Amino acid sequence: MYTEKVMDHFAHPRNMGEVEGANGVGMVGNAKCGDIMQMFLKVNDDGIIEDVGFKTFGCGAAVATSSMATELIKGKSIDEALQLTNSAVVEALEGLPPAKLHCSVLAEEAVRAAIDNYYARKEGRAEECNTVTTSHEEERPAD
Ligand code: FES
């Protein structure tokens, strides 16, 4: 049912936990399943994501997709991270069962929420590290 990659990222999540000195933090939740994901970014002056971490209160696929999402954006520019799609996360995990695709959407949204928060802080629109977005998105297939 789950690929070895999914099981590996679930059993050994990469970049789990908060990041000290994070300057972009976003939290998203899926209203349907109740799972919550929080993403922490430390972006340097050149706009490169130096460090990234996550905290996920949710299913195994949510843990695996957050873990993979952090790996895919670490060391990348903000612009590159904005291109991250749930399909790319699913592909990197070598697939997810259809019923679990929404977990990958949550990972994509968590990255975007953290980037939004990074820009909001830069522009002085937000001091605190919390952008809370509730996803009402239905499950959607990977492209
Ligand atoms: Fe909702 Fe996985 S069951 S994020």
Side-chain angles (χ1 to χ4, degrees), residues 25 31 54 87 104-105 135:
V25 182
F54 76 92
S87 313
S104 64
V105 173
S135 166

Side-chain angles (χ1 to χ4, degrees), residues 74-124:
K74 197 169 185 174
K76 299 275 170 64
S77 69
I78 286 283
D79 286 344
E80 286 171 313
L82 273 171
Q83 310 290 321
L84 182 77
T85 61
N86 78 302
S87 313
V89 175
V90 172
E91 201 176 305
L93 287 169
E94 295 170 357
L96 269 181
K100 288 291 176 181
L101 287 175
H102 77 271
C103 316
S104 64
V105 173
L106 207 56
E108 176 191 312
E109 290 178 344
V111 169
R112 297 218 171 145
I115 293 174
D116 279 355
N117 181 250
Y118 165 74
Y119 280 123
R121 288 194 208 197
K122 247 185 116 172
E123 292 159 13

Side-chain angles (χ1 to χ4, degrees), residues 35-36 38 46 52-53 74 83 99 102 118 121 138:
D35 290 356
I36 292 171
Q38 198 171 17
D46 298 324
V52 51
K74 197 169 185 174
Q83 310 290 321
H102 77 271
Y118 165 74
R121 288 194 208 197
E138 292 302 317

